[in-house]
């Protein structure tokens, strides 16, 4: 870990201003991913802005009938919120499927969105990685790829996004609210929040430098039955091989987002028209253009079978 | 370097630490409270579990300077030899440990996990999200899954926690 | 004391303390966080500085240059010692790869520098400032690809199992060719990591020429000897202390880089130095269980009698290393007149392969016991009956050698009864419960019982307290407690009058913790010392020692009863002895046996396997403490589930390293993976093993578990996977359509 200076911000705007003032500054909230990466010098901020005191830890009803989730709401608290449990079960389930009790107590809503990949080559600083060190190459391609992306990947990067929460939020059409150093705010639909790797896998979101997440809003409840099915080798405390977030209506229509398959939560809205025809048709449309490796080709079949199990449960 | 005051096991402790010092290293190296263990230093094992403000966290993944004025409870604060916390006594009775290295983390995590069930916090295995979770084998096993025991004392640990939960109920 | 003839009645047989399920005496310290592990000895020596170990970023080649200027100038840095500062250090007797020194890199994350600083944070940061230039050399990283070049190799795991490079009895090929029912199958097991919770750690302090290390090591005498050898100093100048060890499983049997680099760092910094290997370094810097490719051929008559059995195993290691002795159990487990075992060793440039819990048998039984299941199915015989039919009470290669005790059949029969084996449907894929396919599996467990020379010193004080000192270690096995129980039984005092001090090289040399020999051998050493102490006490009290009884804190003879403490006088009374073994092990085959039963549920859609029930029935001599022995077995069963379902060090065959080198990516079982586990110990005393009449049990618990899980998965799904771990991707293609 490189030495850094440390300050506690008192307002979102002040946090954004501080970040703009100090090159190499990073916000820290839960810190469960950032500190992990700082110990390995994968992240090397010169200045940390502690945003835990900003009071962004409330979940409020919006005028539209949805929910506004403060950026600092802890994963445990979001998963436990009665409105979330009742109306956005997929989100509660996704959060509870992620990490461990200790991590969920610390990790925040915004931090969860900003998690970085768990690709083992990203984590090993002796290996080339375009995400960690742009232009150095990708050691994962041709290497151990069982956990890595099957779709949306590039010649530069085949990493996956590790979040469960973000997959559910993608299915729910969440919107990320931010503030910039100049005080301006914007609302980023979650579909546009995470990027595919392309030639710039080190750029993972559409946030600008210093831009600060203040909240995530959920639209009014979509109804239907909510599922988050996470498939992994051990029964808990592991990242997904494949996960399926689904909201299924009585008539068999619905929405599906996948985790564990791409550099971002993977959802193809156009493919959802196929849902009433069954998992095979739907997944074949969702994963059109998949380019799996020998080691992770099973994820395509696994995604289809997992969706089939979810749809069967939705019918039952 | 930075100054920080933390209440540890009920006692105010003023520390001058490197900003890089984790809460875990502050406890182990500065305060010489070595009951909290460093198994991985990356939030992957649970041996460093402590309670901050009554909630369990991994102390390896948080900085000491971020805990100004907060209340930290470590294994040393739960009980001492000759004055064991009921959970510590249950671990001894059920042989819920072997090498002992993950044990303080398991005990801190289990005390907090039972509180979480009482507080109605659901888990991955809670069948119905709209009702309060119950103390079951399945719930305990899921909630304790952030604490690895490579010696494999799990079956005994769950017996110990179940006994304490039953006594509390 | 020389143990040369079978044990007769002795004070241990009273079983007032020994054999009782008493709580561990170190429990209150472990559960309160007050048991001190290596890195935590703030009290040991003042002024400790922090060390940080840097590992090589290539698998094979040379270090051409190291730029340490920035690191040396970094705040707080006291010393930087690099591998270029010295020629390659001499290797310890137990090491295959060099631990430090010289330009050559033999494996990934081999230590190339230690940085010493005032604080951990400073040392870690400075380590990242070192710029290393390498000249890479091509390496051999793919076991299957190296198979054609592999040579026959004799092997001894050093932990109990061994086999000649090739061993033949009768005419295997002829008998196999004529057998009406045959199986010829190949199984693979992956590289596995010990992944003990406490990383290797040491505090080192020099006092002139004398070195003390507070460390985490299973085998104190080996560690002391090899540290001295590596540093080129006399062994008498080294003291090693390791009273609490946060898990080992074989990963801390040997001297490792932590102790060497703490010592070198302390010498350079002229300060005591503490360091621990970082978790990402452990998998590649230290040792691992090597991968195997095993071919098993079994030929049988139609009635199920085995006529021919062959087990051949291929594994790899660095130049000068040895094979994984995966064929060892096949020499002894089943009858059959025509037999063949062979081991081949390929040279690989991966990190050093070495002992991990039940080396040999653990991976060997993962193959053999699946082969037995497959063969039983071919024969149309229940897998338990097939094993019973081929039981042997003598060493099948040397029929003149009986087993000292062999209750395998009883283990299987009792287990079947207890587990409800009769409810198993022999046709796979038939039992469906909701989304789950459910199946049961069985496997035999087998592990040899080794006996090792072991010494102890016992001291009696005037208050009637007894203190035991031995360099034996407690790696979670319960050594503290069973040693205390032994001394309490022998001296006739309650358990709380016994103090046990372990793990210090100043104490008498013991068996140490390895090869499941520690429990029986170390307590036998304590027994020997206590026999001497009893004699000395009787003599001091003027009692004929053959008439003396020791009970309730009293020494009694005839009508006379004297408090034991009176024998000690003001000075205390000390006795020391070592148990040594004669030829019984050659005349009798000493082994331990188990029946492992597993029920799994496999998700019919996703192929996720979840273990529902587990039972082990064990026959392993006298059980010294049923509570801690049970823990040993359930822990081993848990590790067996890991081996069956998830554990695999993933080899990058291009760059030659284990990619998943942390605890997030090398998955071991967690709470949610493990159901309630049941363990039954059969009544058994084995007078051939030692005066304790006990045997090892800590490794028996893992032997066969992986195969029982695999067999249960087959029974649940009808899919036979011969490549471990059995992850869902290997089942997916054969699972039924999702309704």
């Amino acid at each position: 870990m490189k030495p850094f200076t440390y300050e506690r911000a008192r307002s979102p705007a002040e946090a954004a201003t501080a970040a703009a003032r100090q090159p190499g500054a990073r916000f820290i909230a839960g810190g469960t991913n950032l500190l992990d990466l700082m110990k390995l010098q994968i992240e090397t901020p010169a200045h940390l802005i502690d945003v835990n005191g900003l009071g962004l830890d409330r979940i409020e009803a919006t005028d539209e009938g949805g929910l506004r989730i403060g950026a600092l709401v802890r994963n445990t608290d979001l998963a436990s919120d009665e409105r979330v449990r009742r109306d956005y079960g997929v989100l509660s389930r996704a959060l509870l499927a992620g990490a461990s009790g200790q991590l969920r107590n610390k990790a925040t809503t915004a931090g969860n969105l900003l998690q970085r990949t768990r690709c083992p080559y990203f984590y090993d600083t002796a290996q080339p990685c375009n995400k960690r060190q742009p232009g150095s190459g990708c050691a994962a391609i041709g290497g151990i790829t069982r956990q890595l992306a099957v779709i949306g990947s590039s010649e530069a990067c085949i990493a996956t996004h590790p979040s469960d929460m973000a997959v559910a939020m993608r299915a729910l059409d969440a919107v990320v609210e931010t503030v910039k150093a100049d005080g301006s705010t914007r609302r980023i639909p979650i579909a546009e929040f995470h990027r595919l790797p392309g030639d710039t896998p080190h750029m993972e979101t559409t946030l600008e430098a210093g831009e600060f997440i203040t909240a995530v809003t959920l639209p009014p409840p979509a109804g239907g039955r909510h599922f988050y099915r996470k498939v992994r080798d051990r029964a808990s405390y592991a990242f997904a091989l494949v996960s399926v977030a689904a909201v299924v209506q009585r008539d068999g229509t619905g929405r599906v987002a996948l985790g564990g398959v791409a550099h971002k939560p993977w959802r193809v809205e156009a493919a959802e028209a196929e849902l009433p025809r069954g998992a095979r048709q739907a997944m074949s449309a969702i994963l059109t253009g998949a380019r799996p490796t020998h080691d992770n080709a099973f994820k395509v079949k696994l995604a289809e079978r997992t969706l089939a199990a979810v749809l069967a449960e939705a019918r039952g | 370097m930075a100054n920080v005051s933390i209440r540890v096991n009920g006692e105010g402790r003023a520390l001058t630490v490197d900003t890089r010092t984790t809460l875990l290293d502050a406890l182990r190296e500065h305060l010489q409270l070595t009951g909290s263990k460093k198994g991985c230093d990356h939030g992957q094992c649970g041996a460093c579990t402590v309670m901050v403000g009554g909630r369990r966290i991994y102390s390896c993944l948080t900085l000491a300077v971020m805990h100004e004025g907060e209340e930290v409870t470590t294994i040393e604060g739960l009980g001492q030899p000759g004055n064991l916390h009921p959970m510590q006594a249950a671990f001894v009775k059920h042989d819920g440990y072997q090498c002992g290295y993950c044990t303080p983390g398991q005990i801190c995590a289990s005390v907090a996990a039972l509180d979480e069930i009482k507080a109605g916090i659901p888990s991955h295995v809670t069948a119905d999200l709209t009702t309060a979770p119950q103390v079951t084998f399945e719930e305990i096993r899921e909630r304790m899954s952030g604490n690895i025991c490579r010696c494999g004392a799990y079956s005994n640990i769950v017996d110990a926690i179940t006994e304490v939960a039953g006594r509390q109920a | 004391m020389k143990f040369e003839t079978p044990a007769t009645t002795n004070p241990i047989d009273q079983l007032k303390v020994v054999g009782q399920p008493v709580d561990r005496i170190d429990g209150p310290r472990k559960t309160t966080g007050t048991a001190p592990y290596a890195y935590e000895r703030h009290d040991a020596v003042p002024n400790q500085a922090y060390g940080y170990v840097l590992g090589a970023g290539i698998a094979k080649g040379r270090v051409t240059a190291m730029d340490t200027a920035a690191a040396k100038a970094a705040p707080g840095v006291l010393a930087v010692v690099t591998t270029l500062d010295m020629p390659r250090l001499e290797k310890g007797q137990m090491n295959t790869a060099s631990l430090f020194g010289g330009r050559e890199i033999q494996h990934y994350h081999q230590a190339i520098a230690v940085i010493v600083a005032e604080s951990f944070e400073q040392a870690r940061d400075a380590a990242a400032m070192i710029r290393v230039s390498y000249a890479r050399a091509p390496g051999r990283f793919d076991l299957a690809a190296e198979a054609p070049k592999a040579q026959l190799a004799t092997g001894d795991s050093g932990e109990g199992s061994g086999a000649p490079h090739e061993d033949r009895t009768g005419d295997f090929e002829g008998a196999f060719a004529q057998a009406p029912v045959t199986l010829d199958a190949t199984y693979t097991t992956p590289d596995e990591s010990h992944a003990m919770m406490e990383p290797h750690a040491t505090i080192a302090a020099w006092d002139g020429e004398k070195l003390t290390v507070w460390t985490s090591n299973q085998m104190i005498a080996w560690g002391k000897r090899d540290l001295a050898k590596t540093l080129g100093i006399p062994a008498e100048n080294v003291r090693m202390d390791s009273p609490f060890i946060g898990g080992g499983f074989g990963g801390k049997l040997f001297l490792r880089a932590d102790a060497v680099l703490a010592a070198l760092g302390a010498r350079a910094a002229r300060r005591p130095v503490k360091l621990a290997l970082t978790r990402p370094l452990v998998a590649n810097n230290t040792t691992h269980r090597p991968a195997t490719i095993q071919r098993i051929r079994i030929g049988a008559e139609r009635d199920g009698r085995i006529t021919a059995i062959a087990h051949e195993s291929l594994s790899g290691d660095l130049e000068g290393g040895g094979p994984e002795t995966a064929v060892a159990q096949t020499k002894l487990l089943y009858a059959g007149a025509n037999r063949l075992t062979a081991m081949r060793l390929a040279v690989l440039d991966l990190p050093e392969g070495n002992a991990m819990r039940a080396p040999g048998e653990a991976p060997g039984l993962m193959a053999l016991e699946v082969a037995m299941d497959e063969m039983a199915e071919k024969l149309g015989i229940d897998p338990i009956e097939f094993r019973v039919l081929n039981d042997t009470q003598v060493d099948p290669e040397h029929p003149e050698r009986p087993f000292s005790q062999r209750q395998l059949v009883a283990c299987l029969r009792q287990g079947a009864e207890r587990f409800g084996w009769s409810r198993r449907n022999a046709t796979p894929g038939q039992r469906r419960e909701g989304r789950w396919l459910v199946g049961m599996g069985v496997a035999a467990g087998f592990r040899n019982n080794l006996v090792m020379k072991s010494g102890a010193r016992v001291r009696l004080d005037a208050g009637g307290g007894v203190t035991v000192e031995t360099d034996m270690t407690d790696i979670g096995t319960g050594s503290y407690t069973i040693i205390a129980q032994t001394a309490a039984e022998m001296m006739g005092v309650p358990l709380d009058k016994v103090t046990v001090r372990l793990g210090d090289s100043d104490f008498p040399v013991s068996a140490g913790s390895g090869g499941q020999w520690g429990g029986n051998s170390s307590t036998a050493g304590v027994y020997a010392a206590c026999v001497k102490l009893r004699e000395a006490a009787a003599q001091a009290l003027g009692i004929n020692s053959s008439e003396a009884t020791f009970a309730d804190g009293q020494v009694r003879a005839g009508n006379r009863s004297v408090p034991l403490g009176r024998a000690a006088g003001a000075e205390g009374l000390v006795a020391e002895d070592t148990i040594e073994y004669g030829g019984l092990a050659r005349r009798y085959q000493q082994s331990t046996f188990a029946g492992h039963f597993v029920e799994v549920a496999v998700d019919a859609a996703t192929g996720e396997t979840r273990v529902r029930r587990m039972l082990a029935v064990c026959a392993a001599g006298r059980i010294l403490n049923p509570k801690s022995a049970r823990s040993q077995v359930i822990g081993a069963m848990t590790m067996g589930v890991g081996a069956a379902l998830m554990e695999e060090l993933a080899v990058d065959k291009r760059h030659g390293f284990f990619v998943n080198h942390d605890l997030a990516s090398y998955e071991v079982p967690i709470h949610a993976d493990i159901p309630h586990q049941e363990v039954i110990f059969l009544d058994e005393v084995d007078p051939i093993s030692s005066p304790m009449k006990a045997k090892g049990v800590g490794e028996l618990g893992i032997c066969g578990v992986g195969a029982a899980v695999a067999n249960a998965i087959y029974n649940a799904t009808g899919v036979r996977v011969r490549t471990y771990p059995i992850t869902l991707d290997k089942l997916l293609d054969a699972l039924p359509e999702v309704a």
Side-chain angles (χ1 to χ4, degrees):
Chain A
M1 200 181 287
K2 291 243 175 256
F4 54 83
T5 49
Y6 169 85
E7 71 175 296
R8 290 191 194 91
R10 281 166 301 185
S11 74
E14 184 187 298
T17 310
R21 193 178 59 232
Q22 303 247 14
R26 293 292 304 267
F27 304 117
I28 186 165
T32 53
N33 192 209
L34 182 59
L35 289 170
D36 171 34
L37 295 171
M38 285 168 65
K39 289 177 183 188
L40 298 167
Q41 295 211 1
I42 294 167
E43 296 272 11
T44 54
H47 183 67
L48 281 186
I49 303 161
D50 184 341
V51 298
N52 283 294
L54 301 190
L56 303 171
D57 53 1
R58 280 182 296 276
I59 305 170
E60 298 158 330
T62 63
D63 295 343
E64 294 76 33
L67 286 181
R68 186 166 187 278
I69 303 157
L72 295 171
V73 173
R74 308 290 155 171
N75 288 176
T76 298
D77 299 322
L78 183 55
S80 306
D81 184 90
E82 286 196 11
R83 294 159 293 183
V84 175
R85 286 157 76 173
R86 185 186 63 222
D87 298 331
Y88 305 94
V90 63
L91 177 57
S92 192
R93 288 278 178 215
L95 285 157
L96 296 170
S100 66
Q102 289 93 322
L103 287 166
R104 292 191 296 270
N105 279 343
K106 205 90 186 74
T108 62
T109 305
N112 193 319
L113 286 176
L114 295 173
Q115 276 187 87
R116 306 202 66 191
T117 185
R118 291 284 164 166
C119 174
Y121 296 93
F122 172 73
Y123 262 79
D124 189 334
T125 51
Q127 301 298 319
C129 171
N130 289 320
K131 185 184 280 297
R132 180 167 25 81
Q133 201 178 347
S136 62
C138 173
I141 294 174
I144 300 296
T145 59
R146 184 167 179 270
Q147 295 275 349
L148 303 180
V150 297
I151 194 162
S153 56
S154 70
E155 298 305 315
C157 181
I158 57 171
T160 53
H161 195 268
S163 173
D164 293 298
M165 182 197 81
V167 179
M169 285 184 169
R170 181 73 179 86
L172 293 171
D173 289 326
V175 174
V176 182
E177 297 186 358
T178 70
V179 59
K180 296 185 201 176
D182 63 6
S184 65
T185 60
R186 64 169 175 152
R187 294 167 51 83
I188 310 169
I190 192 157
E192 294 161 24
F193 184 80
H194 293 105
R195 296 167 177 263
L196 287 178
D199 296 332
T200 55
H202 59 289
M203 296 171 67
E204 294 168 351
T205 68
T206 50
L207 289 178
E208 293 171 16
E211 189 171 2
F212 181 74
I213 299 173
T214 51
V216 175
T217 56
L218 300 179
R225 292 189 66 183
H226 287 220
F227 300 90
Y228 189 78
R229 183 76 172 85
K230 181 176 183 178
V231 184
R232 43 190 164 179
D233 288 320
R234 65 182 180 192
S236 189
Y237 199 23
F239 294 96
L241 293 167
V242 162
S243 67
V244 172
V247 178
V248 185
Q249 305 296 340
R250 240 173 226 292
D251 60 4
T253 62
R255 320 154 166 208
V256 175
L258 303 182
V261 298
H263 199 256
K264 58 190 277 187
W266 192 257
R267 182 175 172 200
V268 179
E269 277 87 341
E272 289 165 3
E274 301 288 333
L275 270 179
R277 296 179 57 202
R280 177 157 301 164
Q281 285 79 0
M283 196 53 73
S284 129
I286 293 168
L287 291 180
T288 296
R291 290 189 312 163
T293 67
H294 175 269
D295 288 347
N296 67 22
F298 75 94
K299 285 189 177 186
V300 174
K301 181 168 221 166
L302 180 61
E304 180 197 311
R305 294 179 67 92
T306 307
L307 178 61
V310 165
L311 295 180
E313 195 178 336
R315 283 193 304 269
Chain B
M1 303 297 275
N3 296 320
V4 61
S5 294
I6 308 175
R7 287 190 68 78
V8 180
N9 300 326
E11 196 183 326
R13 306 296 294 258
L15 292 168
T16 302
V17 293
D18 194 309
T19 52
R20 295 170 291 183
T21 303
T22 61
L23 178 58
L24 176 63
D25 284 331
L27 292 168
R28 282 168 64 82
E29 305 304 325
H30 292 257
L31 299 177
Q32 302 195 2
L33 291 170
T34 54
S36 306
K37 303 302 182 191
K38 187 184 280 190
C40 72
D41 215 15
H42 287 277
Q44 303 164 352
C45 79
C48 67
T49 300
V50 301
M51 285 169 271
V52 175
R55 297 185 120 188
R56 55 180 177 162
I57 65 165
Y58 295 147
S59 61
C60 76
L61 285 186
T62 192
L63 297 170
V65 293
M66 295 170 74
H67 294 280
E68 176 66 39
E70 292 184 12
E71 178 74 47
V72 177
T73 304
T74 70
I75 189 72
E76 291 92 345
L78 285 182
Q80 303 78 39
N83 178 34
L84 297 181
H85 181 280
M87 191 65 81
Q88 291 168 324
F91 269 61
V92 174
K93 177 182 167 190
H94 291 277
D95 214 37
Y97 57 92
Q98 290 175 39
C99 82
Y101 200 76
C102 77
T103 310
Q106 299 275 357
I107 291 171
C108 287
S110 59
V111 168
L114 291 184
D115 288 346
E116 287 169 10
I117 295 177
K118 267 194 208 153
I121 294 169
S123 87
H124 173 60
V125 299
T126 306
D128 182 352
L129 285 178
T130 61
T131 59
Q134 305 298 309
V135 179
T136 63
F137 276 104
E138 213 191 355
E139 285 281 1
I140 292 172
R141 286 166 56 199
E142 163 59 23
R143 288 165 193 270
M144 290 301 294
S145 285
N147 291 80
I148 295 175
C149 171
R150 183 58 160 162
C151 294
Y154 297 130
S155 186
N156 290 352
I157 292 171
V158 174
D159 286 348
I161 298 171
T162 303
E163 180 180 303
V164 173
R167 243 185 276 145
Q168 284 178 356
Chain C
M1 176 184 287
K2 192 103 176 164
F3 182 74
E4 293 178 299
T5 54
T8 53
T9 302
N10 67 43
I12 297 297
D13 294 323
Q14 300 171 95
L15 299 179
K16 289 181 189 164
V17 193
V18 170
Q20 301 303 314
V22 301
D23 293 344
R24 290 178 201 236
I25 62 172
D26 48 341
R29 297 182 80 190
K30 282 182 172 170
T31 55
T32 55
T34 51
Y37 296 81
Y39 197 82
E40 302 166 355
R41 306 287 295 272
H42 289 286
D43 61 312
V45 55
N47 205 27
Q48 298 169 15
Y50 290 82
Y52 195 92
V53 178
L54 186 65
I58 65 167
K60 192 167 172 63
R62 282 180 308 118
V63 176
T64 54
M66 293 179 78
D67 179 355
T68 58
K72 283 178 173 160
V77 170
L78 301 167
V80 176
V81 182
T82 79
T83 195
L84 301 183
D85 294 343
M86 62 195 73
R88 181 187 284 191
L89 298 180
E90 200 178 333
K91 274 189 322 190
Q93 276 185 43
M94 309 306 289
N95 298 119
T96 303
S98 164
L99 294 177
F100 197 66
R103 290 188 176 277
E104 196 199 340
I105 299 300
Q106 297 169 295
H107 63 85
Y108 200 72
H109 280 174
Q110 192 165 25
I112 56 170
V114 59
I115 297 84
V116 180
E118 293 286 351
S119 77
F120 171 67
E121 293 80 11
Q122 290 167 334
R124 179 176 57 191
D125 185 27
M129 295 177 193
I130 297 177
R131 294 286 161 260
V132 190
S133 305
Y134 300 100
R136 289 171 195 264
R140 297 149 290 187
F141 307 124
D142 184 344
L143 178 61
E146 296 301 314
K149 284 179 265 176
Q151 301 290 315
L152 284 167
T154 294
D156 178 343
S157 72
E159 264 229 30
S161 75
H165 58 280
E166 188 178 84
D167 212 358
R168 290 177 172 276
T169 301
D171 169 19
F172 168 76
E173 281 82 359
F176 186 71
Q178 288 181 8
V181 183
T182 59
L183 171 83
D184 182 349
T186 297
Y187 307 85
T188 66
T189 62
D191 298 287
E192 293 172 9
S193 186
H194 307 84
M196 72 297 281
M197 298 312 297
E198 179 205 27
H200 303 71
T202 298
I203 301 173
W206 293 89
D207 180 7
E209 298 295 303
K210 304 267 188 189
L211 171 67
T212 302
V213 290
W214 295 270
T215 190
S216 187
N217 192 297
Q218 299 174 226
M219 299 291 294
I220 298 302
W222 294 0
K224 170 180 163 149
R225 178 197 66 203
D226 279 351
L227 181 56
K229 188 162 180 264
T230 302
L231 296 174
I233 61 175
E236 59 266 27
N237 284 359
V238 175
R239 182 182 157 224
M240 181 172 276
D241 189 26
S242 195
F244 288 95
I245 297 160
F249 316 112
K252 293 173 182 168
L253 281 170
F254 316 121
L255 178 72
R256 298 303 318 165
D258 58 305
V260 174
L261 292 182
L264 293 175
R267 192 149 67 187
R270 301 175 186 282
R271 287 261 298 268
V273 166
K274 66 191 288 187
L275 62 80
L277 297 186
T278 60
R279 179 56 66 179
L281 217 52
V282 172
N284 286 282
N285 177 272
T286 71
T287 61
H288 65 278
R289 189 200 298 281
T292 66
I293 301 174
Q294 302 178 48
R295 181 187 185 193
I296 293 178
R297 284 172 288 171
I298 304 174
E301 298 294 343
R302 292 201 192 282
D303 67 1
R305 260 171 242 285
I306 293 173
T307 53
I309 185 165
H311 192 162
E312 297 161 274
S313 176
L314 166 72
S315 58
D317 203 356
L318 288 164
E319 196 83 56
E324 178 71 17
T325 53
V327 306
Q329 72 288 320
T330 308
K331 296 163 67 60
L332 291 162
L333 190 48
Y334 297 113
N338 303 288
R339 317 175 69 86
L340 164 65
T341 60
M343 292 190 292
R344 288 178 183 79
L345 179 62
V347 177
L348 293 180
D349 298 300
L350 290 171
E352 175 177 337
N354 219 317
M356 178 169 149
R357 199 171 201 166
E361 283 92 336
L365 285 162
M366 286 166 77
L368 177 64
E369 286 299 287
V370 173
M372 289 295 286
D373 201 63
E374 296 198 52
M375 195 65 190
E377 188 180 35
K378 283 192 175 212
L379 288 159
I381 301 177
D382 177 86
I384 291 175
E385 296 308 319
F386 180 50
R387 288 175 172 88
V388 170
L389 192 61
N390 288 289
D391 187 47
T392 174
Q393 291 295 315
V394 297
D395 175 348
E397 294 177 358
H398 306 282
E400 70 283 5
R401 287 180 78 230
F403 284 89
S404 62
Q405 298 275 348
R406 177 167 166 132
Q407 298 200 70
L408 174 61
V409 170
C411 291
L412 292 168
R413 292 259 190 254
Q414 283 204 25
E417 177 72 27
R418 181 86 181 187
F419 203 67
W421 183 254
S422 60
R423 294 198 302 274
R424 170 181 174 269
N425 189 328
T427 309
Q430 300 301 304
R431 189 171 152 203
R432 179 86 185 237
E433 294 177 13
R435 63 190 255 214
W436 302 103
L437 296 162
V438 181
M440 285 189 227
V442 68
F446 174 91
R447 176 75 172 145
N448 276 339
N449 181 59
L450 271 270
V451 288
M452 294 278 277
K453 185 176 162 182
S454 193
R457 183 159 59 221
V458 283
R459 176 179 291 114
L460 176 66
D461 63 44
V466 177
T467 301
V468 186
E469 293 176 336
T470 163
D471 84 353
M472 180 60 192
T473 50
D474 190 330
I475 62 173
T477 39
S479 307
Y480 275 107
T481 309
I482 57 173
I483 284 172
Q485 287 175 274
T486 303
E489 193 80 73
M490 289 299 291
M491 301 313 298
V493 298
L495 203 54
D496 62 10
K497 295 293 270 185
V498 182
T499 304
V500 181
R501 301 175 65 198
L502 299 181
D504 188 331
S505 63
D506 286 349
F507 299 154
V509 174
S510 74
S513 298
Q516 79 168 10
W517 62 58
N520 176 48
S521 297
S522 70
T523 52
V526 174
Y527 169 92
C530 286
V531 168
K532 271 200 175 170
L533 185 61
R534 286 164 62 112
E535 285 166 4
Q539 196 180 358
L541 296 170
I543 295 172
N544 184 340
S545 69
S546 63
E547 291 167 17
T549 58
F550 292 71
D552 310 320
Q554 302 281 314
V555 187
R556 297 195 182 99
N559 292 331
R560 203 175 152 210
S561 183
V562 188
L564 175 63
R566 201 170 293 166
E571 300 289 292
L573 198 59
V574 181
E576 181 175 332
D577 202 3
T578 294
I579 189 96
E580 295 181 72
Y581 295 90
L584 285 175
R586 284 189 296 277
R587 277 167 36 214
Y588 295 91
Q589 176 57 41
Q590 291 184 41
S591 304
T592 60
F593 297 89
H596 283 291
F597 293 79
V598 170
E599 182 175 280
V600 301
V602 179
D603 187 298
T606 64
E608 294 161 286
T609 298
R610 302 293 177 240
V611 177
R612 284 189 164 185
R613 293 194 296 139
M614 298 185 82
L615 165 68
V617 183
C618 301
R622 171 175 284 156
I623 299 303
L624 301 175
N625 180 332
K627 185 177 275 195
S628 56
R630 177 179 176 281
S631 288
Q632 282 291 289
V633 176
I634 66 168
M637 290 158 77
T638 300
M639 198 175 275
V641 170
L645 296 181
M646 63 190 82
E647 292 185 38
E648 175 175 22
L649 285 166
V651 181
D652 185 315
K653 291 171 185 164
R654 308 160 304 166
H655 304 312
F657 70 108
F658 301 131
V659 170
N660 49 343
H661 49 68
D662 63 26
L663 287 177
S665 52
Y666 183 83
E667 293 188 10
V668 300
I670 41 82
H671 272 280
D673 292 310
I674 302 301
H676 177 75
Q677 295 164 318
E678 196 175 356
V679 180
I680 295 170
F681 294 110
L682 297 186
D683 279 336
E684 183 174 302
V685 285
D686 193 336
I688 305 299
S689 72
S690 81
M692 303 302 293
K693 304 172 188 173
K695 290 191 283 201
V697 73
E699 296 188 337
L700 176 65
I702 191 174
C703 294
V705 174
V709 173
N711 295 338
I713 291 173
Y714 175 74
N715 183 241
T717 63
V719 186
R720 186 66 80 179
V721 179
R722 300 186 183 87
T723 307
Y724 291 99
I726 307 175
T727 45
L728 59 91
D729 43 300
K730 295 168 188 170
L731 300 172
L732 219 47
D733 284 339
L735 292 177
E737 285 292 305
V738 185

